[in-house]
Amino acid sequence: MHGEPAHVVAARGVRKRFGDVQAVDGIDLVVAGGERVGIVGPNGAGKTTLLLMLLGAIDPDEGSVELLGRRLPEGRSRAMECVGFAAGYLPLPDRLKVHEALRFFADLHDHPDPGADVDRVIEELDIGYLRDKTCMSLSSGQATLVGIAKAVMHRPRLVVLDEPTASLDPDIALRVRDALARLNDEHRTALLMTSHDMREVEALTERVVFLRDGRVLADGVPAEVVADAGHATLEEMFLAEAIRMRGARL
């Protein structure tokens, strides 16, 4: 029997280069079960590349990744059975209706009652008005909502979200944050997310990993990270880093 690990993610010394760009440069990251972690930093800091390596979607040039106790890439298929991933750039099956698409993804997880899973997540995210729309007819915000529903429907042990509410109206974004917080509270689902909305990060996470040029600049409780960097807020720290990066590229 494969024992349940204390951590859901363990990356050691991961590096990834694309041509002349060192996107991720020797990052160590361990995420405990039930932990809520935000990976932040300006564009080009390495956030999405790191997430995709943690999920086994791309292989690191160096270093190792364990996902739910399984070494990647060999154990990826089994590990991903207990992981949900949502990002605005992930496509949905265009010709299926929303409830059909969710049922298709529910069937992949071999739950005893996938239809009930679909009904439950539609109710939890209050997206009944999208149920009979075809996926190709959805706006970007609506597609994001359906992608989040797909990611959390099977109540995974880890949910990974790349800019989860970027295209959502503020009231809908709040509803999504509340649903994610309940999932974490009630089922100890770990959350690992990136976002450019620092208020969202502060509201939803208990730990922030701040990246600069593919390396970890700071890692800790958001208030402590901000104070150690000499800033008043996480948003102020983020803006200062974005300005620094733009200046470095000129």
Side-chain angles (χ1 to χ4, degrees), residues 114-156:
D117 291 340
V118 171
D119 292 340
R120 172 181 48 76
V121 79
I122 285 176
E123 181 178 354
E124 287 176 349
L125 289 176
D126 194 20
I127 57 173
Y129 63 100
L130 298 178
R131 185 184 186 96
D132 292 317
K133 282 181 169 283
T134 59
C135 291
M136 70 170 58
S137 71
L138 300 176
S139 69
S140 60
Q142 291 169 343
T144 296
L145 273 175
V146 175
I148 292 171
K150 174 178 74 73
V152 304
M153 180 170 47
H154 58 299
R155 289 179 173 159

Side-chain angles (χ1 to χ4, degrees), residues 14-16 23-25 46 48-62 65 72:
V14 290
R15 288 184 165 84
K16 188 66 181 181
V24 172
D25 192 9
T48 295
T49 300
L50 177 59
L51 281 190
L52 293 177
M53 285 194 290
L54 298 180
L55 291 168
I58 58 176
D59 295 330
D61 298 329
E62 299 179 34
V65 178
L72 302 185

Side-chain angles (χ1 to χ4, degrees), residues 151-170:
V152 304
M153 180 170 47
H154 58 299
R155 289 179 173 159
R157 290 184 52 209
L158 169 66
V159 174
V160 180
L161 305 126
D162 195 359
E163 299 286 348
T165 64
S167 59
L168 301 181
D169 291 335

Side-chain angles (χ1 to χ4, degrees), residues 161-233:
L161 305 126
D162 195 359
E163 299 286 348
T165 64
S167 59
L168 301 181
D169 291 335
D171 59 324
I172 298 176
L174 177 61
R175 192 166 73 228
V176 168
R177 287 196 293 271
D178 288 345
L180 292 171
R182 284 197 306 273
L183 189 67
N184 173 260
D185 291 339
E186 296 173 7
H187 301 283
R188 279 191 48 79
T189 297
L191 304 178
L192 182 61
M193 62 176 285
T194 71
S195 178
H196 283 91
D197 184 341
M198 295 301 101
R199 287 171 293 182
E200 176 176 72
V201 172
E202 289 174 320
L204 193 53
T205 68
E206 59 194 357
R207 173 184 166 204
V208 62
V209 179
F210 206 113
L211 301 187
R212 170 195 281 178
D213 299 330
R215 298 179 181 179
V216 175
L217 175 65
D219 182 349
V221 177
E224 295 175 358
V225 165
V226 168
D228 289 346
H231 293 286
T233 65

Side-chain angles (χ1 to χ4, degrees), residues 42-45 213 244-250:
N43 287 335
D213 299 330
R244 184 201 68 81
M245 285 188 69
R246 280 201 300 270
R249 290 169 181 163
L250 295 177

